Amino acid sequence: MDKKPQKNLLSIGEVSKIFGIHKDTLRNWEEKGIISPLRVGPRGDRKYKQEDIEKISNDKSIVKDLGASKTDEEGKMNLTQLKQFLWRSADILRGKIDSSDYKKYIFGLLFYKRISDSWDEEYKKVLEEYHDTEIARADHNHRFQVPKGCRWEIIQKQAEGIGQKLNEIFDKLTNANSPKLDKIFDDLDFANKDKFPNETLQKLINHFSQHNFGDNYISSDLLGDAYEYLIEQFAADAGKKGGEFYSPRETERVIIQILKPHEKDHIYDMTVGSGGFLLEAYHHLKEKEGEKKARSLYLYGQEINLGTYAIAKINMFLHGLDSADIQRGDTLADPKFLNPDGSLKTFDICVANPPYSIKSWSDEIFRANKYGRLDGYEMPPTKKADYAFVLHMVKSMNENGRAGILLPHGVLFRGGAEGRIREELIKNDLIEAIIALPAKLFYGTGIPVAIVIFNKNKPVAHKNKILIIDAEKDFEEGKNQNRLRKKDIEKIVSAYENYRDIEKYARVVDLKEIEENEFNLNVRRYVENGDEEEVVDVKTVWQELKEIEKEKKVIDGKVEKYLKELKY
């Protein structure tokens, strides 16, 4: 056996230590077919691949089956234990309210527990240093203000009327931290006794009270990762509605690795959802150049849905990215990021996964062209908003701006106004790459989507060309949802970086050829992916249809005869 690949393999002991679980738990998963380690050497020792580690980290069924102790000797949880603990909080509400709704209540309580525990830690630290309670309570010594009547210990001691008390606490927290926490808790109403009986809330409070969620016990990185895990699991639980607030992180990873954020870049997501794109940009730069440079990024996002907006804000806070500017509102009707003169603010990088082909949108406001989004372009159709989002994105790119957007395949070939807008975008040499992704990657839709990469300042070698990549066949198949593997992402990014033809996968196409194809960007027109198209003999098919029609007439005659005999 080649020894080189062995360097990346881990022993059963190493894996059990990483996740804080017993070796027998790993053996049980193997027996159930959940994971399949390699057997190496004469004794057949178990060796785990990176794929096994990723699966253990990401698979909800595995995390729920953990056989680990809750904490270490200091009361701290590792990532796997934290994921398990948080997911069990959802079990308390499951069945009592709709699965697509209870996520916001879990997230709200988690965030409240975090800021209360952190306030207590900050108070204790300053008190030990200065021995002065006034100094210890001073606002400037705390990241968030938590008034005395709002501490977690207050709700923990509440026996009756817990829901109403929570509502009151959230109002006070919002006022004490305005505008920082404005609208964060607006979509929560714990006082509805049909949804939240006192007993249920008591269980939920008791559950969260088991652990300290302060910074000394759970770092921003750890809590942020666990929060991201929860978002994904709630998206899966919510089924079709999950796509409203969650984009598979693998698709965001593709776009961010292509756009490659740099230090101090301004990054904007016009349909920010739960904030995954912005976090992916932060994590990418942190991995490449360290946390200091990653925290130099300027992050902006806008979200129309109040509950999803709150999820995104909390997501930023739990990752320690308090400076991220997340605004609530309809991007197409009321964009929030404007210059002093009222024009659209522009950014180094724009990213988005907008809702696909929405039929009801603010087309009349868009048509008024207050922000110049239609300058040089036709008005998008009133029943499809895809190109409205595209034109908003193009207008939001600065003179050297780059952008990546996820869109349904129809935008690549539909005619009418959309075809004419696409033609102008191509003639303006703004499109740098098209990447066709596999089907069933997204919650709520089985349709395949494409990534469109824009660049307002293409490298000379890319000018008047578009790279078209067909990545539809490269994925890991799942029961309800497919996913891009690490190697699939690397293959796409490598093809983009090399920007050259790859047989049956990628092709650099001159704009002249695209013009000859009437500006149709259907991927299959340019990249042969190896599937042989069935040759249709039109004459034979036409003859078969005529025979079928004859048979139908005979059958209709018999049926009519039988009906007459039955006096119908």
Side-chain angles (χ1 to χ4, degrees):
M1 181 179 287
D2 185 1
K3 292 183 180 180
K4 191 174 181 181
Q6 299 298 316
K7 291 181 180 179
N8 295 322
L9 298 179
L10 297 172
S11 69
I12 188 170
E14 290 171 323
V15 175
S16 67
K17 187 174 181 180
I18 288 172
F19 292 101
I21 56 179
H22 198 277
K23 295 177 184 178
D24 286 344
T25 303
L26 288 166
R27 295 187 184 100
N28 289 337
W29 291 341
E30 184 181 344
E31 288 177 9
K32 293 177 183 179
I34 295 174
I35 52 176
S36 302
L38 300 174
R39 291 304 190 108
V40 178
R43 296 187 306 172
D45 293 336
R46 291 173 174 83
K47 294 291 182 181
Y48 295 81
K49 308 180 293 296
Q50 185 61 37
E51 289 85 346
D52 296 321
I53 307 303
E54 290 178 6
K55 191 166 187 180
I56 292 171
S57 299
N58 297 324
D59 194 311
K60 177 178 67 178
S61 65
I62 288 179
V63 172
K64 288 177 74 176
D65 191 40
L66 287 176
S69 60
K70 288 183 180 178
T71 57
D72 64 12
E73 65 278 4
E74 296 179 345
K76 297 179 182 179
M77 289 183 284
N78 63 33
L79 179 57
T80 304
Q81 293 160 346
L82 182 56
K83 286 178 179 179
Q84 180 193 19
F85 176 82
L86 292 176
W87 188 244
R88 280 205 304 270
S89 67
D91 291 335
I92 296 172
L93 291 182
R94 193 168 282 110
K96 296 177 177 65
I97 58 176
D98 190 81
S99 63
S100 63
D101 291 331
Y102 59 56
K103 63 182 183 296
K104 61 190 178 187
Y105 293 98
I106 298 296
F107 292 149
L109 273 179
L110 171 62
F111 182 54
Y112 168 36
K113 183 69 161 67
R114 170 68 163 188
I115 62 177
S116 181
D117 287 350
S118 295
W119 192 97
D120 290 341
E121 286 181 351
E122 292 159 353
Y123 176 85
K124 184 179 179 181
K125 182 181 178 182
V126 177
L127 187 63
E128 288 175 350
E129 184 175 354
Y130 294 98
H131 306 288
D132 188 314
T133 56
E134 291 302 314
I135 294 176
R137 288 195 191 98
D139 289 355
H140 63 267
N141 284 320
H142 297 279
R143 182 178 168 203
F144 295 97
Q145 308 313 314
V146 183
K148 187 175 182 179
C150 297
R151 311 276 162 71
W152 183 264
E153 63 187 36
I154 300 297
I155 198 66
Q156 193 176 359
K157 294 174 183 176
Q158 189 85 9
E160 298 294 333
I162 297 174
Q164 185 59 44
K165 187 65 176 178
L166 278 170
N167 285 0
E168 292 172 7
I169 287 174
F170 288 154
D171 284 343
K172 290 177 181 177
L173 284 172
T174 301
N175 291 333
N177 293 275
S178 185
K180 198 172 185 179
L181 295 187
D182 285 358
K183 301 185 181 73
I184 289 285
F185 302 112
D186 283 10
D187 203 28
L188 304 184
D189 181 11
F190 281 99
N192 186 326
K193 292 183 178 180
D194 291 330
K195 288 184 176 181
F196 301 106
N198 207 66
E199 182 184 0
T200 299
L201 289 178
Q202 189 70 68
K203 287 180 181 178
L204 206 53
I205 298 300
N206 290 343
H207 181 73
F208 276 103
S209 297
Q210 293 179 62
H211 294 287
N212 189 315
F213 280 79
D215 295 280
N216 293 340
Y217 287 82
I218 301 173
S219 69
S220 291
D221 284 342
L222 193 69
L223 191 55
D225 287 347
Y227 186 81
E228 280 284 289
Y229 162 82
L230 267 190
I231 293 174
E232 182 178 7
Q233 300 314 315
F234 279 123
D237 237 28
K240 188 174 183 180
K241 289 185 178 180
E244 294 176 5
F245 61 91
Y246 182 82
S247 306
R249 297 301 179 243
E250 295 87 2
T251 59
E252 295 169 338
R253 202 160 294 142
V254 171
I255 291 176
I256 292 299
Q257 288 188 20
I258 284 174
L259 298 179
K260 290 182 173 50
H262 299 112
E263 182 181 6
K264 297 183 180 180
D265 270 351
H266 291 248
I267 304 175
Y268 168 58
D269 186 341
M270 62 182 169
T271 54
V272 75
S274 58
F277 264 122
L278 302 182
L279 285 173
E280 192 58 47
Y282 165 75
H283 288 310
H284 175 81
L285 193 57
K286 181 180 177 182
E287 183 181 329
K288 298 295 181 185
E289 300 189 45
E291 185 171 357
K292 185 177 180 181
K293 288 189 177 180
R295 290 193 177 276
S296 75
L297 293 173
Y298 297 87
L299 305 176
Y300 308 83
Q302 183 164 340
E303 174 56 42
I304 190 172
N305 180 279
L306 178 58
T308 306
Y309 160 83
I311 291 172
K313 287 282 286 185
I314 293 173
N315 207 0
M316 296 300 127
F317 287 136
L318 293 183
H319 280 88
L321 300 172
D322 294 19
S323 62
D325 190 352
I326 310 296
Q327 299 287 330
R328 186 181 172 233
D330 183 342
T331 294
L332 298 182
D334 183 24
K336 297 296 184 183
F337 296 101
L338 305 173
N339 294 313
D341 64 359
S343 61
L344 287 182
K345 185 177 176 68
T346 58
F347 305 89
D348 302 297
I349 291 177
C350 297
V351 288
N353 179 27
Y356 301 149
S357 303
I358 52 175
K359 295 180 180 179
S360 179
W361 60 287
S362 47
D363 56 294
E364 288 302 320
I365 296 175
F366 199 90
R367 190 185 300 275
N369 201 29
K370 179 180 178 181
Y371 304 103
R373 293 174 289 194
L374 292 175
D375 293 351
Y377 297 96
E378 191 170 327
M379 175 69 190
T382 58
K383 295 296 183 182
K384 278 192 174 67
D386 297 321
Y387 271 99
F389 285 111
V390 169
L391 293 179
H392 178 88
M393 174 172 269
V394 168
K395 193 69 177 178
S396 300
M397 298 163 63
N398 64 27
E399 59 185 9
N400 294 310
R402 295 157 290 138
I405 186 170
L406 288 150
L407 293 165
H409 272 242
V411 301
L412 303 178
F413 53 78
R414 289 195 296 248
E418 292 185 307
R420 292 186 287 276
I421 295 170
R422 186 174 60 248
E423 178 179 340
E424 289 305 313
L425 290 168
I426 293 169
K427 286 180 175 178
N428 291 336
D429 201 18
L430 290 171
I431 301 176
E432 189 168 33
I434 304 286
I435 303 157
L437 295 176
K440 287 178 66 178
L441 289 179
F442 293 80
Y443 294 108
T445 178
I447 65 169
V449 300
I451 294 171
V452 183
I453 301 295
F454 295 89
N455 193 338
K456 279 197 175 177
N457 187 18
K458 285 185 179 182
V460 174
H462 297 187
K463 289 187 182 297
N464 296 311
K465 296 180 178 68
I466 296 177
L467 173 67
I468 298 180
I469 299 172
D470 186 353
E472 291 184 358
K473 287 186 170 184
D474 299 319
F475 61 91
E476 178 181 84
E477 189 171 1
K479 184 178 179 181
N480 298 315
Q481 187 184 11
N482 299 326
R483 65 181 288 267
L484 294 175
R485 298 159 296 191
K486 185 179 180 182
K487 65 179 181 181
D488 303 326
I489 296 171
E490 289 174 349
K491 185 177 179 181
I492 294 170
V493 175
S494 175
Y496 169 81
E497 289 174 345
N498 291 321
Y499 216 82
R500 59 179 175 78
D501 293 355
I502 301 172
E503 188 177 0
K504 297 181 180 179
Y505 187 74
R507 185 164 166 244
V508 179
V509 185
D510 288 328
L511 296 195
K512 185 178 179 182
E513 181 180 346
I514 294 171
E515 183 177 359
E516 290 170 356
N517 278 310
E518 299 179 323
F519 300 97
N520 186 317
L521 290 175
N522 192 337
V523 171
R524 292 295 175 87
R525 285 199 174 206
Y526 304 97
V527 181
E528 294 288 339
N529 69 358
D531 287 343
E532 292 186 11
E533 293 188 23
E534 183 181 355
V535 179
V536 178
D537 186 332
V538 177
K539 187 176 180 181
T540 300
V541 172
W542 179 246
Q543 190 62 42
E544 289 174 353
L545 286 172
K546 287 200 291 186
E547 292 297 327
I548 291 170
E549 190 62 34
K550 285 181 183 177
E551 291 176 10
K552 182 177 180 297
K553 286 181 180 178
V554 172
I555 293 169
D556 286 346
K558 288 181 179 180
V559 171
E560 190 174 344
K561 179 184 175 185
Y562 293 146
L563 290 174
K564 283 180 180 178
E565 290 176 359
L566 293 170
K567 296 182 180 180
Y568 277 98

